[in-house]
Amino acid sequence: MEPHIVDRTRNAGWIEVVCGSMFSGKTEELIRRLRRARIARQETIAFKPALDTRYSDDEVVSHDETALPTVPVESAASMIRQADGADVVGIDEAQFFGNDLVEACQTLAARGVRVVVAGLDQDYKGQPFEPIPQLMAIAEHVTKLHAICVQCGAPANHSQRIVPGDERVLLGATEAYEPRCRDCFQPGEVPESTAPAPAAPVTSSASPEGGE
Ligand SMILES: Nc1ncnc2c1ncn2[C@@H]1O[C@H](COP(=O)(O)OP(=O)(O)O)[C@@H](O)[C@H]1O
Ligand SMILES: Cc1cn([C@H]2C[C@H](O)[C@@H](COP(=O)(O)O)O2)c(=O)[nH]c1=O
Ligand SMILES: [Zn+2]
């Protein structure tokens, strides 16, 4: 259910969380909710972490290239300052804001704002990705979305990293991650089928297949 009414008779907002794996449609759903709020003539503003420059500096863009103007911010605190006057605040890639986001969302909701937060609930190891689990606990509404497993077509709950790197934050899209179901997910490993092949030793000019 998508809550969409701002109750101006009471000074209470609420928090909605839209979570799931990569490619599950979190950004599309965030954009959809904000567009509908604007149709209802509510003041909206969308934020994303400044570090996420994958598709655009000043838009949230889904993997399907649906876009909405957005304000890149360095911190959750700066979001509170810039959200003045908004009825509805959208936050994409919320996993990159850290735990300060929990307090910021509480402050906005207490001010009467509808806060829609979209983010990854798990990292590439399948571990809870803070602050999304904390936000899910305090949110009035939680929507969990699924992508399609690229291996078997089942609903995908995991984001498989397919490039080397054990840092938690590693920006990317299809070149670095695949959505996978529980069965096909290999937590924290670079699957051999998708890992870059090791450099071949230079031995002879002719390939075994007799190619070029
Ligand atoms: N394996 C997949 N499963 C589902 N959607 C996919 C997949 N690969 C690409 N997509 C595209 O990604 C879109 C969702 O993008 P987006 O809203 O940016 O997701 P998220 O924000 O959750 O990463 C889908 O509508 C679809 O066009
Ligand atoms: C699993 C995982 C992902 N990331 C990065 C990769 C992307 O830049 C974003 C997720 O974007 P999406 O809109 O949900 O597709 O997060 C990461 O840094 N660490 C991870 O473990
Ligand atoms: Zn699968």
Side-chain angles (χ1 to χ4, degrees):
M1 184 205 63
E2 179 204 344
H4 58 275
I5 296 164
V6 173
D7 183 352
R8 293 194 175 84
T9 62
R10 299 173 65 233
N11 188 25
W14 65 80
I15 300 172
E16 298 166 30
V17 171
V18 179
C19 65
S21 71
M22 289 181 67
F23 307 96
S24 61
K26 302 181 300 295
T27 300
E28 285 175 350
E29 179 61 16
L30 176 69
I31 291 172
R32 191 181 79 89
R33 291 187 189 188
L34 292 180
R35 284 199 176 137
R36 286 167 60 85
R38 278 160 62 172
I39 291 168
R41 297 198 183 82
Q42 291 159 6
E43 265 317 304
T44 70
I45 186 162
F47 296 103
K48 69 171 191 175
L51 69 83
D52 184 18
T53 51
R54 275 180 309 166
Y55 291 111
S56 164
D57 284 345
D58 56 3
E59 287 180 316
V60 271
V61 183
S62 78
H63 292 297
D64 209 17
E65 296 180 2
T66 316
L68 192 82
T70 193
V71 181
V73 283
E74 301 285 347
S75 68
S78 126
M79 209 158 23
I80 300 183
R81 287 192 293 276
Q82 297 188 60
D84 219 20
D87 300 308
V88 185
V89 169
I91 303 161
D92 201 16
E93 305 296 349
Q95 71 277 359
F96 294 143
F97 280 109
N99 284 328
D100 288 353
L101 185 62
V102 177
E103 197 54 44
C105 291
Q106 296 275 49
T107 303
L108 289 169
R111 226 192 240 176
V113 174
R114 171 184 174 196
V115 186
V116 188
V117 185
L120 291 174
D121 50 359
Q122 296 171 59
D123 65 13
Y124 72 104
K125 291 181 173 170
Q127 296 297 315
F129 208 153
E130 303 82 13
I132 301 299
Q134 287 83 351
L135 284 163
M136 289 164 79
I138 59 163
E140 276 81 357
H141 305 276
V142 176
T143 304
K144 174 133 176 169
L145 301 174
H146 298 87
I148 310 237
C149 175
V150 296
Q151 301 267 302
C152 74
N157 189 32
H158 296 285
S159 307
Q160 177 77 52
R161 187 174 285 175
I162 56 172
V163 292
D166 57 8
E167 58 276 55
R168 195 175 211 195
V169 175
L170 192 156
L171 300 187
T174 49
E175 77 295 348
Y177 295 94
E178 288 179 356
R180 294 210 185 171
C181 71
R182 181 184 291 273
D183 268 2
C184 299
F185 181 51
Q186 297 171 272
E189 292 173 35
V190 177
E192 276 185 22
S193 58
T194 44
V202 182
T203 47
S204 136
S205 56
S207 77
E209 289 80 27
E212 318 174 355

